[in-house]
Amino acid sequence: MSSLPTLEINDLFAGYGETEILKSINISVEPAQTVAIIGPNGAGKSTVIKSVLGLVNVRGGKINLNGQDIIGIAPDEAIRQGISYVPQTHNVFPNLSVLENLEMGAWTRKTGIKERIDEMFTLFPDLQVKKSKIAGSLSGGQRQMVAMAKALMVDSKIMLLDEPTAGLSPKYQSEIFQTIKKINGSGIPILLVEQNAKQALEIADKGFVLVDGANKVQGTGKELLEDSNVARMFLGSKD
Amino acid sequence: MWQTFGFEFVNFYFIPGLVVGCIYALGAIGITLTFGILRFANFAHGEVMMIGAYFTWTVMTLVKNGLGFPIHPLVAAVPAIALAISLFIFVDRYFYKPFRSAPTIRVVMASFGMMLVIRSFVQSVWGPNQLTFVPGIARPNETVKSFTNSFDMMILMPNKHFWIIAGTFVIMLALSWLLTKTKIGKGMRAVSDSPELAKVSGIDVEIIIRATWIVGGFCAVAAGVFLVMDLQMLETTMGFRMLLPMFAAAILGGIGRPFGAVVGGLVIGLAEELSVYPWLGNGPLLSPGYKTGVAFAIMIVMLVLRPSGLFKGRLF
């Protein structure tokens, strides 16, 4: 196994236009790990993911995927390099069927599309029954499953999830976290941005707490769950 | 019943309405695809229809003068389509692409400028006056006439109308296959749904844009050739005059919905023609001069009552 982290972000400065959001962020995702980024609204959690994909202006620092510098690459090139990305909202093509959504996820793939679709239907059995349904007609949870399956259609080196449980019912939230565990169990490292900090840290090997665009606390998921400051600020604990 | 009502209605209102509707439908496909995928109203679309018809006329004339025999407009349209598509791609590369991430109004204005450039170019090369596309009177097809007459339902359909309706039907089938069965067609629908998501799904949006110009250019030239086959003459303002009903058709069907544009085109074409039928009394319901007003009225009503169109298109 490679000793290099799958994704390594060092001293990252990034933002939109003139506004600087991230100020010296350091995050690393080791092979087969699930890493959660938590923090209050406006802390820059989603901006970290968008920096990896080349969707925001990166002003300084390093982003390496398996040791290769990927700063400044176009989003479609990032996908071609094996980054699976699930945006927070508008993450499926609503007027395409479930199957067509998966096919669009495989745009950069040259071979093995049918086999990969079958693998996705094994991972997400609900989708097989609904493969001809228009994605826009599915429930929020099912749409999230389509979005994740679509993102995994590439030969995934890492999966980036931007608040995958936002707006979902508690039942679907648990289901999504179980699915994330399952995906990670297949060997795909995961970088997860979540508002639902407690559940995210429960499945995470490592967690990073961001406040105001900078690293505040970091540790294993268990350590952060047990940290009284983190618990008081982000997990809703009254202690 | 047929003699008192049906004959006149079908032959002089319904079939011409269907023919005009087919032309609007083909033109509206390109407009709705450009609107849905590139997010702007392309004012130069009508001019591509027009220049495609001029290219076709030129190929027909060159073959007739050079080889001594006439060729059918649909054959001459093949090289004309290639030229029009090249023009579309050239214009996109050098005039629209630089504005891709600028506010939409800039590219809309660029397309307005391009409309004037293309029309001026055509006027300089072919002259500002009308040209005859096909001389003579279009007589009804005798086979259709005698066949339908044996059922006491005589239909007077000239060959040109048959070609327009049949040609549109074939293009619709091909378009349907392209959009639902091919990777590029599904990609076009995906980009129309969400260009941002398409980009982060790895879809090569520039290839999709090129495909959009190819499909839009093909349909635009087909619409232009069908229009001049119907009118039997060419003029440099014909594309501009088609612009409003084609936009109305695209909005009626729903922006970004090619099949909606087809339905929208047929509805607008039929509504225009049927608005001059003597529904009340002996005179036309509306003066023929108000035909374009019907398309405009439908567009306004649709924008007020259901801006997403009949097939839930994109809202801007």
Side-chain angles (χ1 to χ4, degrees), chain B residues 59-83:
Chain B
V59 172
M60 286 167 69
T61 310
L62 287 175
V63 171
K64 196 177 175 189
N65 293 344
L67 302 175
F69 57 86
I71 56 167
H72 196 275
L74 295 185
V75 177
V78 175
I81 285 171
L83 276 169

PDB file of all heavy atoms in Angstrom, chain B residues 59-83:
ATOM      1  N   VAL B  59     -26.321  25.938 -54.951  1.00  0.00           N
ATOM      2  CA  VAL B  59     -25.914  24.589 -55.381  1.00  0.00           C
ATOM      3  C   VAL B  59     -26.814  24.120 -56.530  1.00  0.00           C
ATOM      4  O   VAL B  59     -26.330  23.595 -57.544  1.00  0.00           O
ATOM      5  CB  VAL B  59     -25.978  23.598 -54.178  1.00  0.00           C
ATOM      6  CG1 VAL B  59     -25.741  22.168 -54.652  1.00  0.00           C
ATOM      7  CG2 VAL B  59     -24.958  23.973 -53.112  1.00  0.00           C
ATOM      8  N   MET B  60     -28.128  24.356 -56.382  1.00  0.00           N
ATOM      9  CA  MET B  60     -29.071  23.949 -57.443  1.00  0.00           C
ATOM     10  C   MET B  60     -28.729  24.639 -58.763  1.00  0.00           C
ATOM     11  O   MET B  60     -28.714  24.020 -59.828  1.00  0.00           O
ATOM     12  CB  MET B  60     -30.504  24.312 -57.033  1.00  0.00           C
ATOM     13  CG  MET B  60     -31.074  23.410 -55.955  1.00  0.00           C
ATOM     14  SD  MET B  60     -32.592  24.081 -55.240  1.00  0.00           S
ATOM     15  CE  MET B  60     -33.723  23.923 -56.596  1.00  0.00           C
ATOM     16  N   THR B  61     -28.442  25.951 -58.678  1.00  0.00           N
ATOM     17  CA  THR B  61     -28.150  26.729 -59.889  1.00  0.00           C
ATOM     18  C   THR B  61     -26.837  26.279 -60.522  1.00  0.00           C
ATOM     19  O   THR B  61     -26.748  26.109 -61.740  1.00  0.00           O
ATOM     20  CB  THR B  61     -28.072  28.229 -59.528  1.00  0.00           C
ATOM     21  OG1 THR B  61     -29.242  28.554 -58.780  1.00  0.00           O
ATOM     22  CG2 THR B  61     -27.995  29.109 -60.756  1.00  0.00           C
ATOM     23  N   LEU B  62     -25.812  26.054 -59.682  1.00  0.00           N
ATOM     24  CA  LEU B  62     -24.510  25.625 -60.206  1.00  0.00           C
ATOM     25  C   LEU B  62     -24.626  24.277 -60.907  1.00  0.00           C
ATOM     26  O   LEU B  62     -24.076  24.086 -61.991  1.00  0.00           O
ATOM     27  CB  LEU B  62     -23.483  25.538 -59.067  1.00  0.00           C
ATOM     28  CG  LEU B  62     -22.976  26.869 -58.497  1.00  0.00           C
ATOM     29  CD1 LEU B  62     -22.052  26.612 -57.301  1.00  0.00           C
ATOM     30  CD2 LEU B  62     -22.238  27.666 -59.562  1.00  0.00           C
ATOM     31  N   VAL B  63     -25.350  23.351 -60.293  1.00  0.00           N
ATOM     32  CA  VAL B  63     -25.496  22.016 -60.892  1.00  0.00           C
ATOM     33  C   VAL B  63     -26.262  22.122 -62.202  1.00  0.00           C
ATOM     34  O   VAL B  63     -25.887  21.533 -63.222  1.00  0.00           O
ATOM     35  CB  VAL B  63     -26.193  21.043 -59.904  1.00  0.00           C
ATOM     36  CG1 VAL B  63     -26.554  19.736 -60.604  1.00  0.00           C
ATOM     37  CG2 VAL B  63     -25.289  20.760 -58.719  1.00  0.00           C
ATOM     38  N   LYS B  64     -27.334  22.914 -62.182  1.00  0.00           N
ATOM     39  CA  LYS B  64     -28.159  23.041 -63.391  1.00  0.00           C
ATOM     40  C   LYS B  64     -27.358  23.692 -64.528  1.00  0.00           C
ATOM     41  O   LYS B  64     -27.395  23.216 -65.669  1.00  0.00           O
ATOM     42  CB  LYS B  64     -29.408  23.868 -63.076  1.00  0.00           C
ATOM     43  CG  LYS B  64     -30.479  23.721 -64.137  1.00  0.00           C
ATOM     44  CD  LYS B  64     -31.725  24.468 -63.785  1.00  0.00           C
ATOM     45  CE  LYS B  64     -32.716  24.380 -64.939  1.00  0.00           C
ATOM     46  NZ  LYS B  64     -33.849  25.253 -64.739  1.00  0.00           N
ATOM     47  N   ASN B  65     -26.623  24.747 -64.207  1.00  0.00           N
ATOM     48  CA  ASN B  65     -25.857  25.441 -65.249  1.00  0.00           C
ATOM     49  C   ASN B  65     -24.616  24.650 -65.665  1.00  0.00           C
ATOM     50  O   ASN B  65     -24.230  24.669 -66.832  1.00  0.00           O
ATOM     51  CB  ASN B  65     -25.433  26.835 -64.783  1.00  0.00           C
ATOM     52  CG  ASN B  65     -26.641  27.746 -64.602  1.00  0.00           C
ATOM     53  OD1 ASN B  65     -27.728  27.447 -65.101  1.00  0.00           O
ATOM     54  ND2 ASN B  65     -26.468  28.834 -63.880  1.00  0.00           N
ATOM     55  N   GLY B  66     -24.020  23.967 -64.702  1.00  0.00           N
ATOM     56  CA  GLY B  66     -22.773  23.257 -64.990  1.00  0.00           C
ATOM     57  C   GLY B  66     -23.000  21.894 -65.595  1.00  0.00           C
ATOM     58  O   GLY B  66     -22.320  21.499 -66.539  1.00  0.00           O
ATOM     59  N   LEU B  67     -23.935  21.131 -65.029  1.00  0.00           N
ATOM     60  CA  LEU B  67     -24.130  19.754 -65.490  1.00  0.00           C
ATOM     61  C   LEU B  67     -25.349  19.604 -66.397  1.00  0.00           C
ATOM     62  O   LEU B  67     -25.545  18.570 -67.024  1.00  0.00           O
ATOM     63  CB  LEU B  67     -24.264  18.811 -64.286  1.00  0.00           C
ATOM     64  CG  LEU B  67     -23.073  18.815 -63.305  1.00  0.00           C
ATOM     65  CD1 LEU B  67     -23.358  17.946 -62.092  1.00  0.00           C
ATOM     66  CD2 LEU B  67     -21.803  18.328 -64.010  1.00  0.00           C
ATOM     67  N   GLY B  68     -26.192  20.614 -66.408  1.00  0.00           N
ATOM     68  CA  GLY B  68     -27.304  20.623 -67.354  1.00  0.00           C
ATOM     69  C   GLY B  68     -28.558  19.912 -66.900  1.00  0.00           C
ATOM     70  O   GLY B  68     -29.487  19.719 -67.673  1.00  0.00           O
ATOM     71  N   PHE B  69     -28.574  19.452 -65.642  1.00  0.00           N
ATOM     72  CA  PHE B  69     -29.827  18.837 -65.168  1.00  0.00           C
ATOM     73  C   PHE B  69     -30.176  19.388 -63.780  1.00  0.00           C
ATOM     74  O   PHE B  69     -29.280  19.760 -63.014  1.00  0.00           O
ATOM     75  CB  PHE B  69     -29.728  17.300 -65.119  1.00  0.00           C
ATOM     76  CG  PHE B  69     -28.607  16.794 -64.257  1.00  0.00           C
ATOM     77  CD1 PHE B  69     -28.782  16.614 -62.885  1.00  0.00           C
ATOM     78  CD2 PHE B  69     -27.369  16.483 -64.811  1.00  0.00           C
ATOM     79  CE1 PHE B  69     -27.747  16.141 -62.091  1.00  0.00           C
ATOM     80  CE2 PHE B  69     -26.330  16.006 -64.028  1.00  0.00           C
ATOM     81  CZ  PHE B  69     -26.522  15.845 -62.664  1.00  0.00           C
ATOM     82  N   PRO B  70     -31.474  19.468 -63.488  1.00  0.00           N
ATOM     83  CA  PRO B  70     -31.863  20.028 -62.185  1.00  0.00           C
ATOM     84  C   PRO B  70     -31.709  19.001 -61.073  1.00  0.00           C
ATOM     85  O   PRO B  70     -31.803  17.798 -61.325  1.00  0.00           O
ATOM     86  CB  PRO B  70     -33.337  20.382 -62.391  1.00  0.00           C
ATOM     87  CG  PRO B  70     -33.807  19.442 -63.436  1.00  0.00           C
ATOM     88  CD  PRO B  70     -32.644  19.075 -64.293  1.00  0.00           C
ATOM     89  N   ILE B  71     -31.466  19.464 -59.869  1.00  0.00           N
ATOM     90  CA  ILE B  71     -31.472  18.539 -58.727  1.00  0.00           C
ATOM     91  C   ILE B  71     -32.515  19.012 -57.721  1.00  0.00           C
ATOM     92  O   ILE B  71     -32.854  20.200 -57.669  1.00  0.00           O
ATOM     93  CB  ILE B  71     -30.086  18.397 -58.043  1.00  0.00           C
ATOM     94  CG1 ILE B  71     -29.525  19.749 -57.598  1.00  0.00           C
ATOM     95  CG2 ILE B  71     -29.125  17.636 -58.894  1.00  0.00           C
ATOM     96  CD1 ILE B  71     -28.343  19.620 -56.656  1.00  0.00           C
ATOM     97  N   HIS B  72     -33.019  18.054 -56.949  1.00  0.00           N
ATOM     98  CA  HIS B  72     -34.058  18.362 -55.969  1.00  0.00           C
ATOM     99  C   HIS B  72     -33.461  19.238 -54.859  1.00  0.00           C
ATOM    100  O   HIS B  72     -32.302  19.040 -54.467  1.00  0.00           O
ATOM    101  CB  HIS B  72     -34.597  17.057 -55.375  1.00  0.00           C
ATOM    102  CG  HIS B  72     -35.906  17.250 -54.646  1.00  0.00           C
ATOM    103  ND1 HIS B  72     -35.951  17.646 -53.335  1.00  0.00           N
ATOM    104  CD2 HIS B  72     -37.191  17.130 -55.069  1.00  0.00           C
ATOM    105  CE1 HIS B  72     -37.227  17.749 -52.968  1.00  0.00           C
ATOM    106  NE2 HIS B  72     -37.994  17.445 -54.006  1.00  0.00           N
ATOM    107  N   PRO B  73     -34.231  20.199 -54.335  1.00  0.00           N
ATOM    108  CA  PRO B  73     -33.712  21.052 -53.251  1.00  0.00           C
ATOM    109  C   PRO B  73     -33.179  20.256 -52.061  1.00  0.00           C
ATOM    110  O   PRO B  73     -32.203  20.661 -51.431  1.00  0.00           O
ATOM    111  CB  PRO B  73     -34.922  21.883 -52.843  1.00  0.00           C
ATOM    112  CG  PRO B  73     -35.825  21.881 -54.019  1.00  0.00           C
ATOM    113  CD  PRO B  73     -35.585  20.613 -54.759  1.00  0.00           C
ATOM    114  N   LEU B  74     -33.795  19.109 -51.770  1.00  0.00           N
ATOM    115  CA  LEU B  74     -33.339  18.341 -50.597  1.00  0.00           C
ATOM    116  C   LEU B  74     -31.960  17.724 -50.836  1.00  0.00           C
ATOM    117  O   LEU B  74     -31.222  17.470 -49.887  1.00  0.00           O
ATOM    118  CB  LEU B  74     -34.363  17.259 -50.238  1.00  0.00           C
ATOM    119  CG  LEU B  74     -35.734  17.774 -49.778  1.00  0.00           C
ATOM    120  CD1 LEU B  74     -36.623  16.626 -49.334  1.00  0.00           C
ATOM    121  CD2 LEU B  74     -35.603  18.797 -48.646  1.00  0.00           C
ATOM    122  N   VAL B  75     -31.616  17.481 -52.100  1.00  0.00           N
ATOM    123  CA  VAL B  75     -30.265  16.989 -52.419  1.00  0.00           C
ATOM    124  C   VAL B  75     -29.278  18.150 -52.324  1.00  0.00           C
ATOM    125  O   VAL B  75     -28.204  18.042 -51.725  1.00  0.00           O
ATOM    126  CB  VAL B  75     -30.227  16.342 -53.831  1.00  0.00           C
ATOM    127  CG1 VAL B  75     -28.810  15.894 -54.177  1.00  0.00           C
ATOM    128  CG2 VAL B  75     -31.198  15.188 -53.914  1.00  0.00           C
ATOM    129  N   ALA B  76     -29.685  19.283 -52.888  1.00  0.00           N
ATOM    130  CA  ALA B  76     -28.814  20.466 -52.853  1.00  0.00           C
ATOM    131  C   ALA B  76     -28.605  20.963 -51.424  1.00  0.00           C
ATOM    132  O   ALA B  76     -27.611  21.628 -51.120  1.00  0.00           O
ATOM    133  CB  ALA B  76     -29.430  21.572 -53.700  1.00  0.00           C
ATOM    134  N   ALA B  77     -29.549  20.614 -50.554  1.00  0.00           N
ATOM    135  CA  ALA B  77     -29.457  21.081 -49.159  1.00  0.00           C
ATOM    136  C   ALA B  77     -28.305  20.419 -48.403  1.00  0.00           C
ATOM    137  O   ALA B  77     -27.826  20.962 -47.402  1.00  0.00           O
ATOM    138  CB  ALA B  77     -30.765  20.817 -48.429  1.00  0.00           C
ATOM    139  N   VAL B  78     -27.837  19.237 -48.899  1.00  0.00           N
ATOM    140  CA  VAL B  78     -26.798  18.505 -48.147  1.00  0.00           C
ATOM    141  C   VAL B  78     -25.508  19.329 -48.014  1.00  0.00           C
ATOM    142  O   VAL B  78     -25.052  19.586 -46.888  1.00  0.00           O
ATOM    143  CB  VAL B  78     -26.551  17.106 -48.762  1.00  0.00           C
ATOM    144  CG1 VAL B  78     -25.405  16.410 -48.067  1.00  0.00           C
ATOM    145  CG2 VAL B  78     -27.827  16.270 -48.667  1.00  0.00           C
ATOM    146  N   PRO B  79     -24.910  19.799 -49.157  1.00  0.00           N
ATOM    147  CA  PRO B  79     -23.718  20.651 -48.979  1.00  0.00           C
ATOM    148  C   PRO B  79     -24.050  21.969 -48.272  1.00  0.00           C
ATOM    149  O   PRO B  79     -23.210  22.514 -47.540  1.00  0.00           O
ATOM    150  CB  PRO B  79     -23.222  20.899 -50.408  1.00  0.00           C
ATOM    151  CG  PRO B  79     -24.339  20.524 -51.304  1.00  0.00           C
ATOM    152  CD  PRO B  79     -25.175  19.523 -50.593  1.00  0.00           C
ATOM    153  N   ALA B  80     -25.277  22.461 -48.481  1.00  0.00           N
ATOM    154  CA  ALA B  80     -25.685  23.720 -47.828  1.00  0.00           C
ATOM    155  C   ALA B  80     -25.697  23.552 -46.308  1.00  0.00           C
ATOM    156  O   ALA B  80     -25.277  24.450 -45.566  1.00  0.00           O
ATOM    157  CB  ALA B  80     -27.057  24.144 -48.321  1.00  0.00           C
ATOM    158  N   ILE B  81     -26.138  22.388 -45.849  1.00  0.00           N
ATOM    159  CA  ILE B  81     -26.165  22.127 -44.404  1.00  0.00           C
ATOM    160  C   ILE B  81     -24.739  22.115 -43.856  1.00  0.00           C
ATOM    161  O   ILE B  81     -24.457  22.700 -42.803  1.00  0.00           O
ATOM    162  CB  ILE B  81     -26.899  20.788 -44.120  1.00  0.00           C
ATOM    163  CG1 ILE B  81     -28.414  20.996 -44.291  1.00  0.00           C
ATOM    164  CG2 ILE B  81     -26.589  20.277 -42.715  1.00  0.00           C
ATOM    165  CD1 ILE B  81     -29.228  19.724 -44.261  1.00  0.00           C
ATOM    166  N   ALA B  82     -23.830  21.471 -44.600  1.00  0.00           N
ATOM    167  CA  ALA B  82     -22.421  21.423 -44.160  1.00  0.00           C
ATOM    168  C   ALA B  82     -21.855  22.835 -44.046  1.00  0.00           C
ATOM    169  O   ALA B  82     -21.170  23.161 -43.066  1.00  0.00           O
ATOM    170  CB  ALA B  82     -21.615  20.583 -45.139  1.00  0.00           C
ATOM    171  N   LEU B  83     -22.169  23.685 -45.035  1.00  0.00           N
ATOM    172  CA  LEU B  83     -21.675  25.068 -45.005  1.00  0.00           C
ATOM    173  C   LEU B  83     -22.269  25.841 -43.827  1.00  0.00           C
ATOM    174  O   LEU B  83     -21.563  26.563 -43.117  1.00  0.00           O
ATOM    175  CB  LEU B  83     -22.049  25.785 -46.310  1.00  0.00           C
ATOM    176  CG  LEU B  83     -21.112  25.572 -47.494  1.00  0.00           C
ATOM    177  CD1 LEU B  83     -21.733  26.115 -48.771  1.00  0.00           C
ATOM    178  CD2 LEU B  83     -19.781  26.271 -47.249  1.00  0.00           C
TER     179      LEU B  83
END
